[in-house]
């Protein structure tokens, strides 16, 4: 690293967040005369579009979550730090973070890029987080996987039919791409993957509901693709309720309100895919710069992604409201590249800045085995073709050939050959924590043990 | 499952534990006229010989830990239950377990096979478990992986050289196969895999120690293999101390006592690979049947693996002391097959029982990249040949072709091509928990933030 031992202090760029935005701005500065410090709460970049496959037990998280420092290891002017950023001082140009052992860390910047993403939003009902977990991080996805798999385990153990039905009822709230992908996976698990694994329950009896407040599934997609998705999901055994909102929930049920009035559905497993909320850093930046935030907490930035009055501070990705772009990977990636170019231009003394322009490459979602919808290149594609397009594009965007080949292999294995789900680990401790926390005691008193009947009788 | 709806009650076999022993006895009963209920605390079978590769970030746990119910799904007379067995009533022939939601579960058996394995032993110093975690379960391995990776992250953040050195010091306690394999992986991480990932620290400066109470590493192996292992580890930068015991430890150090007297080594990461202890069910069975247990808590069974006075109760695997067999996979597997045969023989009215006979297929251990030792087929093999033998045999014994191919691919990727470790996920929460729990506050007061120097200066 001797090439870095320069006496003169270089221009310091601090990037907050190692998602699509942060990683792309870092890459774009590879040959610039700057030092880049990328700070993230985790040690890994997460390829979020495939996260639902971790929740479904298809992919191990490692394939879609490479260590950030490993991704940037060849970029000599960049380093990665594991710390939690909690304050941004725009006057002193200091990023304040907490190191894992609780000690404060201060990073001085000349240029700051905040790409801190978004998290779930429960629309003010934060107490629902416990009952209906969402999926934004690797830990979230593992947790969902544990919950889904545990539900089938508990159904197998249940002796009371009503209780078994509760464990076999799954409700996914929100029918955007994530909700559709998750509900499709639950349906595949119940109907295709798991039936032969269980003896006392028929997992095909699982009741799988998808709730959506809008009049149709996949609200931003065109009607043709919505209709295809709706029909396909119904064919997979998913009960779809559009125009329907969750209005209440506890650890045993969810109450929904739709065209037919209110109904309480008994269920042990609720999955939240309904709303997102920008990182709290967006609000903080807004307060410090006088910028506005929208209902989802996203900060309004200038057309060049800078903050009002702070040309040295950029904000990009899901935490930003710019041209009503969707909260997906492409805008964040393109904004990251753009900001990198702007910073390089400034260092080269080039003051002209074209506003950021988004190139829409389209959008897509998988529904299930061999079924997807894609709205790209002016075409509306459904079915197997969309499925293959989806797979091809997502593997292409993964980081590293090793992960691409590993993912392709795992898909082949999971989808084509054995319909297996290779990553299904749960332990008693995890199961206990979840079963106890999310399942209140039932009528059967704890001191009357369920004397499990012999296999031959239970299977009846 | 209508073939199971027989009016007559079949012979009930309950198997406790889904490890090598439990799975083999279950398989051996596939075509017997019995119902087999396999109860385990987790939902997966664990291929323990490759667990250290999970700790090293090479393999995702899913490849070596298939769901038990998935493994036995084609065996119509067997079912798997996720529950924690805590009592065995040999008079009433009842297995008492706890379901994940805390409710009791009782299983009646006609024949019982207990194959509950072993866990770490700290030789009466249970308080060391917090400071020097061991590796028996998938969770243990993930935890070790987090700790090892976190140590490098913290070293990168450290500004005090003494503190950095503490984070870069790793002590593995116990030089049996597991200890040798783990220390080899830490050395590879520090010297080969990670150096290019870090900017402020040179991970090659890591100090990696291996402690062993016996006079040489790999005590049960022959001298030639011990010498090879010793030299090879030293070449990899491991400091080996034989005849040396840990006599004290806290969250910042370990105190060792060896030929040169006592010394306290400052280290943040200690790994326990020194002792094992049979499952508490061994002691319970011993008390109920009058059988004896040895120092490691293993129960002495009859030559046919039954308990004294209880021909209908078998105990096998790591929890059993029989013919001084080592606590590895082979004896458990062979005992499982043997017990399956004995049960089938009894049902067929064949009372003759040959005592269990162990066929020693040899033993082996990997040291690091292209280096292993094997003592098999009367040959003592070292180096690349042993390494390839080791890989071949272990892949062969994995369950399922999908896992075999996936493991081979991952090895090729990790070892031959990129020297990468694909599975390195840690989050701030995990890091925080570990860094705070295992790292007491140091001289630097928490309210004086470490103002991280610019990259150019820190790299000096």
């Amino acid at each position: 690293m001797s090439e870095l031992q320069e006496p003169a202090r270089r221009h310091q760029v601090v990037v907050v967040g190692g998602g699509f935005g942060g990683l792309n701005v870092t890459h774009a500065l590879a040959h610039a005369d700057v030092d880049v410090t990328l700070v993230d709460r985790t040690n890994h970049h997460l390829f979020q579009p495939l996260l639902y496959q971790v929740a479904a037990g298809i992919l191990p998280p490692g394939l879609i979550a490479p260590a950030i420092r490993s991704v940037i290891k060849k970029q000599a002017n960049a380093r990665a730090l594991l710390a939690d950023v909690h304050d941004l001082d725009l006057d002193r140009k200091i990023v304040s973070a907490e190191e894992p052992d609780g000690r404060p860390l201060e990073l001085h910047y000349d240029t700051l890029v905040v790409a801190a993403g978004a998290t779930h939003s429960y629309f003010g009902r934060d107490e629902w987080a416990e009952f209906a977990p969402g999926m934004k991080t690797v830990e979230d996805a593992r947790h969902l996987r544990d919950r889904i798999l545990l539900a089938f385990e508990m159904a197998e153990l249940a002796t009371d039919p009503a209780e078994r039905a509760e464990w076999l009822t799954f409700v996914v709230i929100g029918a955007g791409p994530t909700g559709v992908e998750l509900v499709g996976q639950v349906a595949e698990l119940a109907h295709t993957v798991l039936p032969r694994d269980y003896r006392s329950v028929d997992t095909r009896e699982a009741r799988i509901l998808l709730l959506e407040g809008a009049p149709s599934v996949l609200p931003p997609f065109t009607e043709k693709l919505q209709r295809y998705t709706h029909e396909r999901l119904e064919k997979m055994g998913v009960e779809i309720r559009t125009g329907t909102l969750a209005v209440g929930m506890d650890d045993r049920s969810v109450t929904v309100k739709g065209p037919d009035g209110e109904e309480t559905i008994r269920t042990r497993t609720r999955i939240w895919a309904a709303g997102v909320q920008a990182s709290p850093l967006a609000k903080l930046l807004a307060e410090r710069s006088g910028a506005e935030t929208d209902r989802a907490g996203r900060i309004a930035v200038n057309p060049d992604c800078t903050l009002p009055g702070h040309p040295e501070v950029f904000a990009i990705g899901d935490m930003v409201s710019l041209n009503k772009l969707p909260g997906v990977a492409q805008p964040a990636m393109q904004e990251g590249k753009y900001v990198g170019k702007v910073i390089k231009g400034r260092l080269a003394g080039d003051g002209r800045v074209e506003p950021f322009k988004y190139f829409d490459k389209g959008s897509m979602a998988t529904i299930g085995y061999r079924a997807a919808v894609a709205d790209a290149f002016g075409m509306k594609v459904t079915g197997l073709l969309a499925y293959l397009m989806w797979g091809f594009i997502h593997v292409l965007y993964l980081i590293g050939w090793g992960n691409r080949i590993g993912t392709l292999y795992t898909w082949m294995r999971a989808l084509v050959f054995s319909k297996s789900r290779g990553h299904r680990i749960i332990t008693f401790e995890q199961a206990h924590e979840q079963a106890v926390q999310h399942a209140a005691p039932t009528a059967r008193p704890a001191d009357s043990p369920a004397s499990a009947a012999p296999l031959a009788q239970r299977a009846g």
Side-chain angles (χ1 to χ4, degrees), chain A residues 342-378:
Chain A
V342 172
I343 296 171
K344 282 204 285 191
R346 286 184 189 170
L347 290 171
D350 182 1
R352 290 169 309 156
V353 173
E354 300 281 332
F356 171 71
K357 238 171 102 179
Y358 178 56
F359 175 67
D360 188 358
K361 296 188 181 172
S363 47
M364 42 196 3
T366 42
I367 303 165
Y369 184 51
R370 294 188 179 178
V373 290
D375 184 347
F377 316 112

Side-chain angles (χ1 to χ4, degrees), chain A residues 291 299-311 313-315 320-323 338 355-356:
Chain A
I299 185 169
V301 291
N302 295 327
D304 62 353
C305 297
T306 58
L307 288 197
H310 287 277
V313 181
F314 298 83
V320 161
S321 66
L322 179 67
N323 308 333
Y338 166 84
F356 171 71

Side-chain angles (χ1 to χ4, degrees), chain A residues 394-425:
Chain A
H394 282 79
V395 163
L396 202 71
Y397 273 107
L398 273 181
I399 290 174
W401 279 103
N403 289 334
R404 286 185 197 128
I405 299 169
T407 301
L408 272 182
Y409 167 71
T410 314
W411 283 353
M412 295 233 306
R413 184 185 162 193
L415 298 173
V416 184
F417 296 123
S418 62
K419 297 232 172 184
S420 73
R421 295 292 182 269
H423 300 275
R424 288 164 55 178
I425 292 164

Side-chain angles (χ1 to χ4, degrees), chain A residues 153-177:
Chain A
E153 295 292 333
M154 295 304 294
E156 178 83 349
L157 285 164
T159 44
D160 171 32
E163 190 188 327
R164 180 177 295 175
E166 276 181 10
W167 282 114
L168 285 180
T169 302
F170 299 85
V171 179
V172 175
I173 301 151

Side-chain angles (χ1 to χ4, degrees), chain A residues 219-251:
Chain A
F221 284 63
T222 61
E223 207 195 311
K224 178 194 164 188
L225 301 185
Q226 291 174 346
R227 210 167 41 233
Y228 172 84
T229 303
H230 195 105
E231 285 165 11
R232 186 83 200 192
L233 283 174
E234 284 191 332
K235 217 184 281 179
M236 290 166 69
V238 176
E239 202 177 318
I240 300 170
R241 305 226 185 153
T242 53
T244 301
L245 295 167
V247 294
M249 58 178 81
D250 59 25
D251 52 9

Side-chain angles (χ1 to χ4, degrees), chain A residues 160 163 252 441-446:
Chain A
D160 171 32
E163 190 188 327
R252 300 284 288 271
T442 60
R444 177 150 64 92

